[in-house]
Amino acid sequence: MKLVIRFFSLLSATLGLTCCENKAAAQGANTPFVSYEAESGTLGGGATIVALTSPPTTEFSSPQLEASGHAYVHLGATGQNVKFVNNTGKTITTLNIRYSIPDSSGGGGITNTLDLYVNGALVSAVPVNSLQTWVYESSSSYNGMSQVPSAGTPHVFWDEVGLFVPGGIPAGGSFTLQKDSANSASYYNIDVVDLESPTALSQPANSLSITSYGGTANNPSFDNTTALNNCVNAAISAGKTVWIPQGIWYFASSGAMEPGQTTIEGAGPWYTTIQYHSTASIIFHGHSTSFENLAINDTVPNSTPSQAYAVLANGGDWTINNVWATHAMLVWGSGTNCTVENSRVNNSWGDGMNINNVVGQGCTNVLIYNNFSRGNGDDAIAVNSASTSEPPVQSVTVENNTTVASWWANQLGIYGGKNILIENNLFQDCVKKTGMELSGYGGPVVPVSVTAQFNTFLRCGSFGYGIDQPGVIIEGDGTNDTVNDNTINNSMFEAVQVSTGTSNLQFEDNLITAPGTTGIIIPSGTTGTGTFLNNMVESLNSGQSAYINNASSTFTATVTANNWQGGPSAPASVTPHVLSSSSIKVNWSGVTGATSYDLLRATVSGGPYQIIDSGITSTTYTDTGLTASTTYYYVVTAVSSSGVSVYSPQVAGTTSFSGTINFDVPGGEGGANYAGQGAYSDPGNDYWNDIVANGTTPAGTNSDGVTLNTITFTEAQTGKFQGGTYSTEGTPQALEYYFADVTSSVTNTCTLNNVPAGTYNLYLYGINGGTGGTRSDRGTTFTVSSDSTPATSQSTVNTSSGFTSFIQGNSYVLFTNILVGTGATITFTYSHNPNATNTVNPQTEGDFNGLQLQSQ
């Protein structure tokens, strides 16, 4: 439940000045890959973007309706291509491409290739096929599975292929998917590409390998069923786990493999693949069996594709962790104390994940966490209490999952159950139904005490089954269900529908933006009760309403303090203050009569916005957990007993970079990675950028040696640069041996430019060398300032011996908490330190050797 509670009173509230911290967590799955939508790439050779620009006019599907983001790139002629730049900051070793190519004329699909280029060089002819796509439906056979084109209208267009990229894709490098003359399919549609750099796992202790029991990898004609069964039996007897090493392991069992109470684990989904080639509908029927770190793929393209299960799990106390299922449901599961986490499922012919009570066993205490589902049939995630002979599914948490473009039913289906928490998920791109269906089957199978909060529903709803499907539907005689603090953006039709019998519904603090039709609708005939409190509906189309209750005589709705009911004025001014690479503080002006405020955030100017927190009783808030070097856009609304205001003016703040950027004077070790250099030790991340003499240094690179940074270094040189050599890199002596110096009363001014707003620490090195390799006891005075931090000074006082480590005040000084605002600069000067002893090789000289700028 929410941690902040709103209080409404006829008395005006006094708003305190205490700063609030961010209570909103990241939404959706934290995946090991980054997805690049094809339509965001650079098109070449006449390639085009095909997008869904208006709702379908029939109940039938299309490639753009089933695409992620409802858009894709079409490569229809030789030379057409789409190009991407690897902006992940690291070398990418694998790609997973979501694509579509044509069916064969008689159905059943074709095979072909698509060329992949890295930095302009051809590196791979990627194998693609349509063997598990292109099925046909009609009004009389809706969701039909026939592979015969004459059976009707096509649907299920997309499949995926993963590959290791020869040589990898370096950070900042490009990769291109191109239709060349050797690629003979009439067209190639590209939806999205996932970029990843996986690492293989080693065999864990206390495990038995399938190879010890006759298992053989990478041999399509060898059936590993017997080897696996023998390994499982031995592992259970010995109290150990089952290890399946790297490779593709083929299985052709005519029935389900039924391992018992053990764990079957591999080297990772990119390295260990269970390749199933059988007409059996169940691959593994696990009895308290856990599966970890492997992929399961069903390869049989049946003439009438049917639902296949990667894992049918029961018995309780099982875990599915880091498993990647393709062309098969990840799990149909029941039992007590069960977990599905960190996994992905793509292109199944049924649900992505289904937790239920329909296999003669109850189901309770289940966690569905941090999973990714794309392009699956039926529901992406289902919690299903269809059986009346078992207790309803209860105590289930569905948290931080991402589901995309399920093509039959809902992104999330809750069918009965009790005490279910749905939190911080991302549901997007519906095809035939809704983002969330909160429903039941009547009788005892009804949703009770279900809470859905802090979720985002993006482009949900559809025209499946020939009717307007809402973004979210709440129905099924539920009782005491709560829907709060959700963001519902760009629904195809109405954003929310409340229908059938729904008792004591709490619908609070939700943000609805740009629905196709109505914001919230309660159709005629709906019965029950509900409270609608402090919700916002924004960007309505002309002639549409924020809220309609067509069942006012049968559904009693308490509608209070929503923005369509009027409210106070919005805050007149909002000011962001970037604090670090992960936090921005937002201040705003108070509003007379306001009892609280809501803060909303977007990553695109103009929204859509997400509610970060509500019920804020101060006029300042710190938004934490942000991504470095990212621009965020904020608006604030004021809340009173009469309603919610419109948005305040939008403001933006860009978080600072993460890590350290190092600069070294010319002739030094700039451009090298070497551990131990500098007082701020960041082993493995010690890239130093050369300072260009008498000019401006180009944009630098972070200390990871990969991430490009906008920061440049400018110096107004009035002294000289002193080169030299030193035999041992990564030592204090090596850093010192290259320096710029000023003499007498001269002061040299240097500037760090394009510094993102934020708070920084600055290490400045001032070590004075002597003749013949000796050290002086001179020193350097540094003075540092920024647009938001007044000038302060510190000095080094060098010692003439024992210089084997960095010592603050001796070889370097550290300026902390330097605040940079819109000025985007840090300025420092260096000069001779007149207070140094200066008896060894005395000179009135101040030396500068380099710097490290560390973001907080």
Side-chain angles (χ1 to χ4, degrees), residues 188-484:
Y188 298 81
N189 293 333
I190 309 300
D191 180 19
V192 63
V193 183
D194 303 327
L195 289 70
E196 192 171 351
S197 297
T199 302
L201 303 174
S202 301
Q203 181 174 355
N206 298 316
S207 64
L208 301 179
S209 175
I210 190 176
T211 58
S212 299
Y213 297 86
T216 301
N218 307 316
N219 185 349
S221 63
F222 186 84
D223 182 2
N224 283 283
T225 302
T226 299
L228 180 62
N229 288 337
N230 290 338
C231 188
V232 166
N233 292 335
I236 292 173
S237 297
K240 297 185 177 183
T241 62
V242 174
W243 168 251
I244 304 180
Q246 294 187 45
I248 301 175
W249 302 82
Y250 292 88
F251 293 82
S253 172
S254 60
M257 293 177 283
E258 300 195 31
Q261 191 169 353
T262 188
T263 297
I264 299 175
E265 53 191 321
W270 278 98
Y271 295 95
T272 298
T273 299
I274 304 297
Q275 196 88 320
Y276 195 65
H277 195 85
S278 173
T279 57
S281 61
I282 300 171
I283 300 175
F284 289 105
H285 184 182
H287 305 274
S288 299
T289 312
S290 295
F291 297 84
E292 296 186 358
N293 306 317
L294 48 80
I296 303 174
N297 181 28
D298 185 6
T299 63
V300 176
N302 298 326
S303 58
T304 54
S306 60
Q307 184 166 284
Y309 306 82
V311 179
L312 193 158
N314 58 28
D317 296 306
W318 51 262
T319 294
I320 295 175
N321 176 39
N322 194 27
V323 174
W324 186 357
T326 53
H327 306 121
M329 181 188 302
L330 174 64
V331 59
W332 176 280
S334 62
T336 301
N337 301 326
C338 310
T339 299
V340 184
E341 62 183 354
N342 308 317
S343 295
R344 46 189 132 169
V345 53
N346 306 81
N347 313 308
S348 80
W349 294 100
D351 299 315
M353 295 155 267
N354 190 310
I355 300 300
N356 59 77
N357 68 345
V358 300
V359 291
Q361 181 180 14
C363 189
T364 184
N365 194 24
V366 178
L367 175 64
I368 305 173
Y369 173 74
N370 200 52
N371 302 290
F372 181 86
S373 168
R374 183 169 59 207
N376 295 299
D378 217 338
D379 299 306
I381 301 174
V383 179
N384 180 10
S385 295
S387 174
T388 58
S389 61
E390 298 290 341
V393 176
Q394 56 186 308
S395 301
V396 176
T397 296
V398 181
E399 182 179 5
N400 283 109
N401 302 281
T402 296
T403 74
V404 184
S406 293
W407 48 260
W408 186 325
N410 305 289
Q411 301 301 318
L412 173 68
I414 304 294
Y415 308 112
K418 184 178 181 180
N419 297 330
I420 298 171
L421 175 64
I422 307 155
E423 185 174 56
N424 293 322
N425 300 282
L426 172 60
F427 305 112
Q428 69 177 70
D429 300 321
C430 292
V431 177
K432 287 190 174 177
K433 290 202 73 178
T434 75
M436 179 178 72
E437 180 177 338
L438 183 56
S439 184
Y441 297 103
V445 185
V446 296
V448 178
S449 300
V450 176
T451 298
Q453 62 183 15
F454 301 112
N455 304 286
T456 292
F457 300 87
L458 178 61
R459 296 182 296 269
C460 290
S462 69
F463 195 58
Y465 303 85
I467 59 175
D468 294 3
Q469 302 280 355
V472 172
I473 188 166
I474 304 166
E475 58 181 1
D477 299 315
T479 303
N480 298 328
D481 296 325
T482 300
V483 179
N484 66 272

Side-chain angles (χ1 to χ4, degrees), residues 2 51 128 142 227 287 387 496 553 576:
K2 287 176 53 184
V128 293
Y142 197 52
H287 305 274
S387 174
V496 178
S553 62

Side-chain angles (χ1 to χ4, degrees), residues 606-784:
Y609 300 101
Q610 172 192 349
I611 297 175
I612 299 306
D613 204 1
S614 54
I616 303 168
T617 54
S618 70
T619 56
T620 185
Y621 188 91
T622 300
D623 189 14
T624 60
L626 304 177
T627 301
S629 304
T630 302
T631 301
Y632 293 93
Y633 302 88
Y634 295 93
V635 294
V636 181
T637 59
V639 180
S640 71
S641 57
S642 62
V644 184
S645 75
V646 297
Y647 292 158
S648 70
Q650 176 185 276
V651 295
T654 302
T655 51
S656 57
F657 71 95
S658 177
T660 305
I661 186 167
N662 307 324
F663 287 106
D664 198 6
V665 299
E669 306 292 351
N673 277 299
Y674 46 105
Q677 178 107 356
Y680 176 71
S681 179
D682 189 11
N685 293 303
D686 288 287
Y687 186 95
W688 287 68
N689 299 273
D690 270 323
I691 293 174
V692 178
N694 304 308
T696 299
T697 299
T701 299
N702 276 15
S703 63
D704 61 9
V706 173
T707 307
L708 299 178
N709 202 299
T710 60
I711 297 175
T712 63
F713 178 91
T714 303
E715 52 83 23
Q717 175 63 23
T718 56
K720 63 182 179 180
F721 286 95
Q722 181 73 37
T725 60
Y726 198 84
S727 59
T728 306
E729 294 182 355
T731 65
Q733 295 94 327
L735 177 60
E736 179 273 333
Y737 219 92
Y738 313 98
F739 59 90
D741 63 7
V742 290
T743 57
S744 187
S745 60
V746 174
T747 297
N748 194 25
T749 301
C750 304
T751 305
L752 291 167
N753 312 286
N754 305 318
V755 181
T759 307
Y760 298 89
N761 298 330
L762 179 63
Y763 296 78
L764 292 169
Y765 295 87
I767 311 167
N768 291 255
T771 60
T774 62
R775 308 293 154 186
S776 76
D777 54 0
R778 300 191 294 271
T780 305
T781 296
F782 295 96
T783 301
V784 175

